[in-house]
Amino acid sequence: MGAENITSVTDFILMGLSNNRETQILLFVVFLFMYSATIVGNLLIIILVRVDSCLHTPMYFFLTHLSGVEICFVTTTVPQMLTHLMSGNGAISFTRCAAQMYATTCLGCTECLLLSAMAYDRCLAICSPLVYAAIMSKKHQWQLTSASWAIGFFLASINVTCTISLPFCGTNHINHFFCEQPVVFKKTCVEARYTEPVIFVGCTLILVGSFSIILVSYGLILYSVFQMQSKRGRHKAFSTCASHLVVVVMFYGVLFFLYMRTGVETALDSDKHIAVFYLVVTPMLNPFIYSLRNKDVHRAVTKVLRRLDFEEKT
């Protein structure tokens, strides 16, 4: 491509979900409600685990980190989207776009790894209950979560650096509501002979690697459950895994559909609508999924409410 067609991009225009002003206002109200529910729900999970000693277990330790990731995930994208919906202007600077790409890629990678760590934790609890406490010590919990964050930051650094180091050309309009790394990558105007494989390998390592850990963990869990003689034991094992399994199916199902399609022109309009699901809907639903049928969380909520009621009376 000729040098005259290559430009130094200083900003992008995010086209958003709709150009209709009435629809934008409606989406603003809906997403503001969903964002508020996401923050409140995930903060409630974190607070309950902190204040109730009965929830000081590895499963809830990982859940607090997952809730923290969800809060950061929506905060890096939704407030900006709300601003664009209210103003009707989707302009974003190149620097802010790059920062958003880095944050969302890092948090997405970290969430994948945390979900696999939670599956590993459930596998140990069900398959090796006698040595579970010794293996899943506090030190081991911190090692798993620290590794999840560190690997997420590392792979995000590689992917985003590979993207922003390439020249951009043509229109600066992006058919999306946030700077998603694969979408921004499509705006580059040189043949990324080495860069694209590096990005694809990074995404594959995270998605396929973490999902493989989850599959193996649940395979071992199923094997152990079917060996149990007690129906009560089977029910308890399934109930402890059900919430996590629902979240995994929702999260990975969308990510595999969006990210593991190479060499095919994707329908960006449908992609950005699907992205709403894993970016806004899933983080909002996660606290409800984990607490809806969770008796430990119900007891913790009751205990906190009673404590607050007692303090008001005194």
Side-chain angles (χ1 to χ4, degrees):
M1 180 172 291
E4 67 276 5
N5 292 328
I6 299 178
T7 58
S8 177
V9 175
T10 58
D11 62 1
F12 290 108
I13 304 296
L14 297 172
M15 297 175 64
L17 295 170
S18 174
N19 293 322
N20 182 276
R21 192 60 189 148
E22 292 182 358
T23 304
Q24 288 177 343
I25 298 300
L26 176 61
L27 289 175
F28 174 85
V29 175
V30 172
F31 286 131
L32 178 61
F33 170 78
M34 296 175 73
Y35 176 67
S36 302
T38 301
I39 298 298
V40 171
N42 283 286
L43 273 178
L44 182 60
I45 291 291
I46 294 173
I47 293 170
L48 287 175
V49 174
R50 294 290 184 184
V51 301
D52 192 341
S53 59
C54 295
L55 300 181
H56 292 176
T57 63
M59 180 176 70
Y60 294 106
F61 174 81
F62 292 124
L63 184 56
T64 58
H65 279 265
L66 182 65
S67 294
V69 168
E70 301 289 28
I71 291 172
C72 295
F73 201 43
V74 296
T75 302
T76 58
T77 54
V78 177
Q80 174 198 268
M81 180 173 62
L82 293 174
T83 302
H84 289 172
L85 287 170
M86 180 57 69
S87 65
N89 180 12
I92 182 173
S93 68
F94 180 82
T95 303
R96 285 178 59 195
C97 184
Q100 189 178 71
M101 271 195 297
Y102 180 78
T104 54
T105 304
C106 168
L107 293 167
C109 292
T110 302
E111 182 163 355
C112 287
L113 295 168
L114 282 175
L115 287 173
S116 63
M118 294 173 76
Y120 169 67
D121 170 69
R122 291 298 83 206
C123 180
L124 283 178
I126 295 172
C127 301
S128 306
L130 297 179
V131 296
Y132 171 69
I135 296 176
M136 195 54 71
S137 62
K138 201 68 176 177
K139 180 181 178 181
H140 196 191
Q141 295 170 40
W142 277 109
Q143 287 175 341
L144 288 172
T145 52
S146 299
S148 298
W149 284 98
I151 294 172
F153 277 107
F154 176 71
L155 288 179
S157 299
I158 294 175
N159 281 14
V160 175
T161 301
C162 288
T163 300
I164 63 176
S165 62
L166 296 172
F168 294 82
C169 63
T171 176
N172 65 342
H173 286 67
I174 297 177
N175 189 15
H176 217 297
F177 59 89
F178 77 103
C179 288
E180 192 173 27
Q181 189 266 329
V183 179
V184 176
F185 184 79
K186 295 180 186 298
K187 307 300 292 184
T188 59
C189 51
V190 296
E191 185 180 352
R193 182 177 301 177
Y194 302 107
T195 304
E196 190 168 9
V198 169
I199 294 174
F200 178 73
V201 168
C203 292
T204 302
L205 285 175
I206 285 293
L207 286 176
V208 177
S210 59
F211 191 65
S212 297
I213 294 174
I214 293 173
L215 284 180
V216 171
S217 298
Y218 275 104
L220 294 173
I221 288 172
L222 284 175
Y223 177 79
S224 296
V225 167
F226 287 132
Q227 299 299 313
M228 294 178 181
Q229 301 298 323
S230 168
K231 288 185 178 180
R232 184 179 179 182
R234 291 183 181 182
H235 180 267
K236 184 178 179 180
F238 280 125
S239 63
T240 58
C241 299
S243 299
H244 179 259
L245 195 56
V246 171
V247 172
V248 166
V249 170
M250 291 195 307
F251 184 76
Y252 279 91
V254 176
L255 288 186
F256 272 112
F257 180 78
L258 287 176
Y259 287 98
M260 298 306 291
R261 296 173 296 171
T262 59
V264 179
E265 283 296 322
T266 59
L268 292 179
D269 279 331
S270 70
D271 279 4
K272 66 182 180 182
H273 294 146
I274 295 171
V276 172
F277 188 79
Y278 79 84
L279 189 72
V280 184
V281 178
T282 300
M284 181 187 69
L285 293 179
N286 280 356
F288 299 100
I289 293 172
Y290 279 108
S291 61
L292 193 60
R293 297 182 61 187
N294 192 313
K295 294 180 180 179
D296 293 333
V297 175
H298 293 171
R299 281 194 291 265
V301 172
T302 303
K303 191 182 299 184
V304 170
L305 291 176
R306 286 177 179 173
R307 188 182 304 172
L308 292 173
D309 184 57
F310 175 76
E311 290 176 356
E312 287 181 0
K313 290 181 179 179
T314 57

